[in-house]
Amino acid sequence: MADNCIFCKIARGEIPATVVADAPTCMAFRDLNPEAPVHVLVIPKAHVPSLNEVASPALFADLMQMAREVAKQEGIAASGYRVVWNTNADGGQTVFHLHAHVLGGRQMAWPPG
Ligand code: 5GP
Ligand code: ZN
């Protein structure tokens, strides 16, 4: 837990978010500035800065499991979607509490920017 971390605050219920999935170790909520018709963030409830610091394979599995459950729930599993882990500066990470972006509902471009 980190006092001034925005996603820790969301995990603690101190900042409102539109939660779409909840489990003991992780949760998912809609991105404030969606880049696609479906744009959901999956986070661990405990503070982990980035993908580099994930210590537990079980936590990683929980996050990935929730990402694909969210895709199914949002109706984009069959049409297709993208799971993105922006990591550190070159990866474009701006919030340093681990999160997977689940994006879909439109054709994604490749290569990414
Ligand atoms: P990053 O750039 O770190 O990969 O992604 C951070 C994401 O968090 C961005 O897509 C941004 O829109 C989202 N975000 C930042 N602050 C908040 C917030 O307070 N609530 C929600 N729901 N999303 C946020
Ligand atoms: Zn945090």
Side-chain angles (χ1 to χ4, degrees), residues 5 8 47 97:
C5 169
C8 280
H47 185 78
H97 178 128

Side-chain angles (χ1 to χ4, degrees), residues 32 54 61-62 73 75 90 109:
L32 202 57
V54 177
D62 288 350
Q73 196 173 295
D90 281 1

Side-chain angles (χ1 to χ4, degrees), residues 28-107:
F29 53 88
R30 297 200 189 284
D31 196 288
L32 202 57
N33 297 111
E35 299 288 357
V38 175
H39 189 172
V40 171
L41 303 175
V42 181
I43 68 164
K45 289 182 175 175
H47 185 78
V48 178
S50 83
L51 195 53
N52 288 337
E53 289 81 24
V54 177
S56 156
L59 175 63
F60 193 59
D62 288 350
L63 292 162
M64 288 308 298
Q65 175 64 20
M66 183 168 278
R68 69 175 182 171
E69 274 171 9
V70 164
K72 198 172 175 187
Q73 196 173 295
E74 295 288 323
I76 57 171
S79 54
Y81 61 100
R82 192 167 284 173
V83 180
V84 175
W85 305 86
N86 293 335
T87 304
N88 284 344
D90 281 1
Q93 186 174 4
T94 60
V95 175
F96 289 87
H97 178 128
L98 179 64
H99 50 280
H101 296 258
V102 180
L103 296 145
R106 67 166 169 82
Q107 178 67 57

